[in-house]
């Protein structure tokens, strides 16, 4: 993710997790042909990628999570907002100048 943010790679890092149930995997069969395949998209990873790529388009209402404790989602969204503000302020800072002497 850091290499992508710095422009050292043109492709973003993958963050989806694929799980296959009831069959061997990986094998010659594509995941679309498996009986049971689950795709897990960690919200934290997606938000970090969007934040670093400049495509941040989420809000607290757009995160489709079903978490047993509703305050957890709100707290996580607030932490990502704070992280995004810190990252933006860091991007605006001029390069550090060496101290004289």
């Amino acid at each position: 993710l850091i290499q992508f943010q710095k422009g050292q790679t043109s492709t973003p890092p993958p963050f989806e997790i694929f799980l296959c149930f009831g069959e061997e995997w990986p094998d010659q069969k594509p995941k679309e042909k498996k009986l049971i395949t689950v795709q897990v998209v960690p919200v934290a990873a997606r938000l970090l990628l969007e934040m670093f790529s400049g495509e941040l388009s989420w809000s607290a209402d757009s995160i489709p999570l079903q978490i047993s404790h509703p305050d957890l989602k709100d707290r996580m969204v607030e932490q990502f907002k704070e992280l995004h503000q810190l990252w933006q302020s860091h991007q605006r800072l001029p390069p550090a100048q060496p101290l004289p002497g």
Side-chain angles (χ1 to χ4, degrees), residues 1 13-19 38-51 56 58 62-67 76-77 80:
L1 181 61
F15 56 85
E16 297 93 354
I17 300 166
F18 292 95
L19 305 171
V38 176
Q39 179 183 11
V40 179
V41 179
V43 173
R46 188 190 78 206
L47 293 176
L48 284 172
L49 179 62
E50 288 179 4
M51 182 176 68
L56 193 61
W58 57 272
S62 71
I63 300 176
L65 292 179
Q66 298 297 322
I67 297 178
M76 186 176 82
V77 169
F80 276 112

Side-chain angles (χ1 to χ4, degrees), residues 17-65:
I17 300 166
F18 292 95
L19 305 171
C20 178
F21 296 94
E23 295 183 73
E24 290 292 323
W25 191 50
D27 59 8
Q28 304 301 330
K29 215 178 194 183
K31 65 180 175 279
E32 294 80 17
K33 300 285 184 180
K34 295 295 184 179
L35 291 175
I36 302 171
T37 305
V38 176
Q39 179 183 11
V40 179
V41 179
V43 173
R46 188 190 78 206
L47 293 176
L48 284 172
L49 179 62
E50 288 179 4
M51 182 176 68
F52 285 119
S53 66
E55 298 174 6
L56 193 61
S57 60
W58 57 272
S59 69
D61 298 329
S62 71
I63 300 176
L65 292 179

Side-chain angles (χ1 to χ4, degrees), residues 3 13 17 20 26 30 32 36 40 68 83-84 89-91 93 100:
Q3 289 175 342
I17 300 166
C20 178
E32 294 80 17
I36 302 171
V40 179
S68 58
L83 180 61
H84 185 247
S89 64
H90 177 72
Q91 294 297 316
L93 291 176

